[in-house]
Each structure stands twice: as structure tokens, then as C-alpha cells.
Amino acid sequence: MNKAPMALLSAKLACLTIATMASLATMEAKANWVGLRNRNGILQLKTQREFDYFALALQWPATYCRRSSHCCSSNACCRGSNAPTEFTIHGLWPDYNDGSWPACCTQKRFNEKEISTLLDALEKYWPSLSCSSPSTCHGEKHGTCSSPVTGDEYNYFLTTLNLYFKYNVTRVLYEAGYMPSNREKYPLGGIISAIQNAFHATPLVVCRNGALEELRLCFYKNFEPRDCVTEATQNDMGSSSSSCPSYISLPEFVSRGKFLSAVVT
């Protein structure tokens, strides 16, 4: 065979290989690979499209701890006078604009050693309010899907802590006159307005039995505040601003004693 056509064919194959690699790189940048097991137990790789925005979920410990079933050393509700009395972090969650969300985006296991320098802050501001442990995704269900923006495990937790400190919901509500009380009820609209005035974005409020349980702040992927997507309320198991009455409580934390083995009612 003539060497000239062979050289031309080799050049075309090289170009095709480069184009294919570029295409795969583009796909990988836009989607994470997710390992899912089918009914036969066979591990399959599927692509996961990148999320649209972040939701910083903050929980009100007094409401959560009211329904804590029992105490253990990891449950911050059982720390007595050292139990959290301000909003704590529930998570930084990647979400889609349609109200759904990604989960389990990588197979990398959570490694506590990677965040050893953050553990004291996490224990205080991102404590567990129960005795249960994550049963899926190697211990980190949502954080793995943040990696296209936040990077590695350490930066994910550091980014979340920085957002928590910068957008201090507890301080905003206290300055607006919304203090913890087991007697007072506050207008839901007033609480939302206080957040809107402080951060120029509308939060999502979650209630349980008329008490504020969770408040979510939403952010673009550059971490500028944005309104929380109202469509999410239709897909979040009824936990939304619509779950709150017009007047809600911000209960005080009632100390249960350290590691007291009792049912919290």
C-alpha cells in the first residue's frame, strides 16, 4: 500500500482519538459518574448531570431534640448544658431547579483524617442530633455531588462552615427580635422578611408541629445568595414553608441531662 494514504489514515485516526477524548472530557466535566447496583447485584456506571444550585440546610436543635428517641455519646441533644442552642448545620446540598436532587455521585469513602483540623468546629456547628449513622454512599450522601464546585472533601466542609459563619441566621433572627421561647409564637412572614432583608434572598422554612425545625438558604454555584426554588416544596416530603402555620414557635432548648437514656417527648 502507498505510504501517503497510510499516513493520511493515521492522521485522521489521531484526530478522531483527540476529538473523542475531548468529548469525553466535556461529558465528565458536566456529569459525575455514579455507581449503581442493579437487581442482579451488578455494578453499573451511569452519568449524573451536574446540579443547579446549593441549599444550606440549618436545623433548629430544640425542635429536633424534642423527637430524639434516645441518647448516646454522638447525640448532641444529650450534652446537657453544652447542647447547641443556635442553628446548626444539617448539610450543604446540591439541588436541581426542578425540585429534585442528586445523591451518591462518587464511590469515594468518607475519610475523617482529611478533615482532622476541622473536627472541633464541625463538632460544635455541624453536630449529629441523633444516634443514627448514614447508611448510604459511604457516609456522605450529598456532599459527593458538590465536587465539581467545592472540590475535595476538606474544601466541601470548609466551604460549608464559611457559609454558615457568613450568613448567620441565628444572629439575624435575634436582632429582629425573634428569640427562643416556649411561650411566644412569631409570624412566619416576619421571620422570612428578616432573612430577606439581611441576605436579599428568600429562604425556605420547614416546620414540625408548628415549630421551626429547619431553615434553608440557597446559593448560586458562585455562592451568591438566591431565592430558594419553590418547586422543591412539591418534592420534599411535605417539608416546606407550606408545612408552617402563619405563626410559628422558636422553642427553647430544654436540657435533658448528659447521656440520659430516656425518650424525649
Side-chain angles (χ1 to χ4, degrees), residues 19-249:
T20 301
M21 291 176 64
S23 177
L24 288 173
T26 301
M27 289 175 62
E28 187 173 2
K30 291 182 178 180
N32 296 316
W33 291 102
V34 184
L36 300 175
R37 293 191 182 277
N38 63 19
R39 293 180 179 178
N40 297 319
I42 299 174
L43 187 66
Q44 297 177 322
L45 288 178
K46 296 185 178 181
T47 56
Q48 175 69 66
R49 63 187 173 94
E50 192 173 319
F51 62 96
D52 296 315
Y53 70 99
F54 283 108
L56 176 64
L58 305 172
Q59 53 197 2
W60 185 248
T63 305
Y64 266 86
C65 292
R66 280 179 169 181
R67 58 186 178 90
S68 184
S69 59
H70 63 282
C71 286
C72 60
S73 59
S74 63
N75 188 346
C77 296
C78 306
R79 292 177 184 170
S81 59
N82 292 322
T85 56
E86 59 184 7
F87 281 100
T88 59
I89 300 168
H90 192 177
L92 181 64
W93 301 338
D95 283 338
Y96 294 129
N97 286 326
D98 63 7
S100 62
W101 57 89
C104 306
C105 293
T106 74
Q107 293 300 296
K108 183 180 178 182
R109 290 185 176 276
F110 172 75
N111 183 0
E112 188 175 287
K113 292 181 179 179
E114 292 187 18
I115 57 171
S116 59
T117 59
L118 301 176
L119 289 179
D120 287 344
L122 293 173
E123 183 69 14
K124 182 176 182 180
Y125 302 111
W126 197 337
S128 172
L129 299 182
S130 71
C131 294
S132 61
S133 58
S135 59
T136 58
C137 312
H138 309 297
E140 190 27 74
K141 183 176 181 180
H142 301 286
T144 57
C145 303
S146 303
S147 58
V149 176
T150 60
D152 61 19
E153 181 181 314
Y154 177 86
N155 284 321
Y156 167 74
F157 285 98
L158 181 62
T159 296
T160 306
L161 285 169
N162 286 336
L163 281 176
Y164 172 78
F165 295 134
K166 182 176 182 179
Y167 298 94
N168 191 324
V169 169
T170 305
R171 185 181 65 226
V172 167
L173 294 186
Y174 284 13
E175 290 177 351
Y178 300 116
M179 306 293 292
S181 172
N182 290 327
R183 297 178 300 276
E184 296 290 333
K185 288 187 179 293
Y186 301 114
L188 173 63
I191 288 176
I192 292 175
S193 293
I195 302 298
Q196 288 174 324
N197 293 336
F199 305 141
H200 309 292
T202 302
L204 185 66
V205 182
V206 180
C207 293
R208 179 177 290 270
N209 298 326
L212 193 156
E213 182 174 64
E214 192 165 286
L215 193 149
R216 299 175 192 171
L217 303 178
C218 297
F219 299 90
Y220 294 104
K221 287 189 282 188
N222 64 357
F223 297 110
E224 290 296 316
R226 56 160 278 177
D227 292 340
C228 289
V229 178
T230 55
E231 286 82 357
T233 64
Q234 301 173 7
N235 297 279
D236 199 14
M237 299 178 66
S239 298
S240 67
S241 297
S242 63
S243 69
C244 299
S246 298
Y247 283 80
I248 64 176
S249 62

